[in-house]
Amino acid sequence: MIEAATDGQLSADAGVLLPIMAPRLQADVHPGGYADLALWGAGSLGRVRFSPIAGPYTYAPNRLVSKRGGVFVAQSRPVMLISGVRLQGIYPARRCAWWHEPDGQGAKAKMSRSDHRKVFELGWGVLIVDARDSDLRIVGGASRDEAEKALDLTKAAIIAEAAEYVTRCDRTPEADPLMRSMVSQGVHAALSSIRLDENGAFAGLAAGQAYSAPARTYYRDGYWTMQPLLTLAPEAVREEIRLLAKGVQPDGEAPSGVIVTGPAQSDAWQRFVADCRASPKTHKRAVPEYHNRPLDWWSDHFDSPLFFILCLDDYVDATQDLAEVQLHWPLVKAITDRYFGLAGPNSVLPLKPRNDRDWADNVFREGLVSYDLGLFVGAMDAVARLGEELDPTLAQRARQTADLARAEIDARLFVPETGGYLDYGTPGAFVEDHLALDSLTLSRFGAIPRQKAVGLLKAFGTRLETRHNQHQPYGSWGVMCAYPPFKRQADLRSKTAFPYRYHNGSDWPYWDGVYAEERLRLGLGGARYALTRWWETCLDNGWLGAVEYFSPPYGRGSLLQGWSAMPAAVVLKYGLHAANSEPMS
């Protein structure tokens, strides 16, 4: 349905949905005639309908161009231009997000107009549509002042900013069309995750489009999203670390994410949380204990504190900015002490409680979890490096713990029958021993011997790359995150209850990137399939932008997901020659 062109842009005869993310404004725009608008920190603003944009279409990051019109998004202000159309209707949102109950102020927008402009003041934001001739300028703002300032940008200025952004995302002009377009869209996913508040200050790395109300930023999403940003925008990485630090508690615990709210919207969110706590049976969509503190988005995630240390370590490695280590060392020490205390008897390996609070948040994993243990070893090695001069006693204990953990992981978690490591469980009792792609953390963070890591990668190639797995029924469509499906149905909930769906075997492009990176780091080659097959599948299905996850029987997750920039990050790090290399024997 969508074809990659030699210039890295994408062409389509039939219109497809264009996902838009800019520092403030975000939207879903369909050339058939509608745009759904939202604003970071405020949430949904409403829908604007317009006459169809005639095809064929050329798509690029945050831009659509046709012979008679197009969609162009500014970077400096929250405004976008839709040209070559007639305005057909404006429908302001009645609530900012799914959890927001309309009240007297928010149920009906206050509207004012001039000859060519309509202004809608909501209880949480402002939407302005300026219609002149065949051009629509659509603006969002946390306040009327922010929105009206965005209208200072002329048509020519908006188009110029849009073109400059497309050029900024195009990092591999020498690549073939498929690879070049994948990298361009991946860089877009990472850069567009950098959000700002109405005053232009950093306001978090967004996981994707669906996270604007309450605005929040995640530890694990942030870690993978920042991989390309370590070179593209290191200052954003630094600010993200400082923001995530606010969610780390004195005892080293941390939530899934940190809420970043504006004053107008946070009141509604706090009312919702209070209502959940008062009537948990009434509010099914938010369990009250998931929000133990005002800034928490889903408290006490097992992987989040470890990701905080890993974020800091990667940032220091990329920038040599040791001041951040000094600033955050009390939190690093608290996290390290916390995981020392989570070890089982006669062991240094932290035991995960039976809950769904790590990246596999539809699976009640417990005991020894390979994914979390890989992060643990990586974090202990990071503490040993970062604390060598600052806190040599803790650094030495962390180094010794990491070495003991490596030996214990290899002795207790290796599964000779598969060449992999158990997903989770307690040896001698129940273990889920299928191949799980998230156990790549064991390889990436040096928690297993190199020879075993090579064997793990080869096992993934044979069983998780769908082109080589004839037992799964859908042909060659990408890299599964787990195979075979989970054994114990009682451990699963929601989407993951179905084989090949979500954590139960979907393709997650961010894991594809981690897998490809490990193949290249270990000298195995053969990375192109993981780097591009998911993208090829997206184009075949008319999915524009770096998709969150997908599988043939169940379709896709969200478009334009930040951590799905990982495949692009790998190409930028290792180069096109390595990315296109054949598998080594």
Side-chain angles (χ1 to χ4, degrees), residues 17 21-22 80 85 109 181 184 232 284 316 324 333 381 497 499 520 573:
L17 191 70
M21 287 211 312
M80 72 177 180
V85 299
S181 62
S184 174
L232 297 175
K284 302 294 186 183
V316 171
E324 291 302 305
K333 186 179 186 305
D381 283 341
L520 296 178
K573 180 177 180 179

Side-chain angles (χ1 to χ4, degrees), residues 510-526:
Y510 93 93
W511 282 123
D512 296 346
V514 181
Y515 170 56
E517 182 178 29
E518 282 304 284
R519 292 195 69 93
L520 296 178
R521 188 181 68 84
L522 295 173
L524 296 177

Side-chain angles (χ1 to χ4, degrees), residues 285-351:
R285 298 190 65 174
V287 179
E289 62 262 31
Y290 286 5
H291 308 289
N292 292 336
R293 294 173 293 269
L295 291 179
D296 275 15
W297 181 265
W298 200 349
S299 303
D300 191 13
H301 267 234
F302 200 75
D303 53 351
S304 293
L306 300 172
F307 273 123
F308 179 78
I309 293 177
L310 294 170
C311 287
L312 182 61
D313 187 49
D314 283 6
Y315 172 75
V316 171
D317 183 60
T319 66
Q320 305 305 307
D321 182 4
L322 297 175
E324 291 302 305
V325 180
Q326 183 92 26
L327 178 64
H328 301 297
W329 192 253
L331 298 180
V332 171
K333 186 179 186 305
I335 292 168
T336 305
D337 289 342
R338 175 181 178 81
Y339 284 86
F340 288 160
L342 291 173
N346 302 312
S347 170
V348 297
L349 301 181
L351 297 174

Side-chain angles (χ1 to χ4, degrees), residues 39-60:
L39 187 74
W40 183 248
S44 179
L45 297 177
R47 170 171 286 193
V48 177
R49 287 196 173 275
F50 48 86
S51 59
I53 302 172
Y57 310 94
T58 299
Y59 290 90

Side-chain angles (χ1 to χ4, degrees), residues 5-8 170-183 528 571 576 580:
T6 56
D7 63 359
D170 184 21
R171 296 281 168 162
T172 53
E174 69 278 22
D176 62 88
L178 183 67
M179 184 72 82
R180 183 176 181 179
S181 62
M182 184 279 289
V183 173
R528 183 179 172 94
V571 177
L576 285 171
N580 288 318

Side-chain angles (χ1 to χ4, degrees), residues 116 129 132 134 157 188 220 224 282 326 356 360 368 372 413-414 421 431 440 444 458 472-473 477 487 558:
H116 50 78
V129 179
R132 303 193 193 198
S134 60
H188 170 38
R220 55 181 164 271
W224 300 112
T282 303
Q326 183 92 26
D356 52 353
L368 300 173
D372 292 303
L413 277 70
F414 182 63
Y421 288 77
V431 294
L440 276 167
R444 190 177 199 272
K458 289 182 176 180
Q472 57 84 28
W477 52 275
K487 292 188 294 189
S558 302

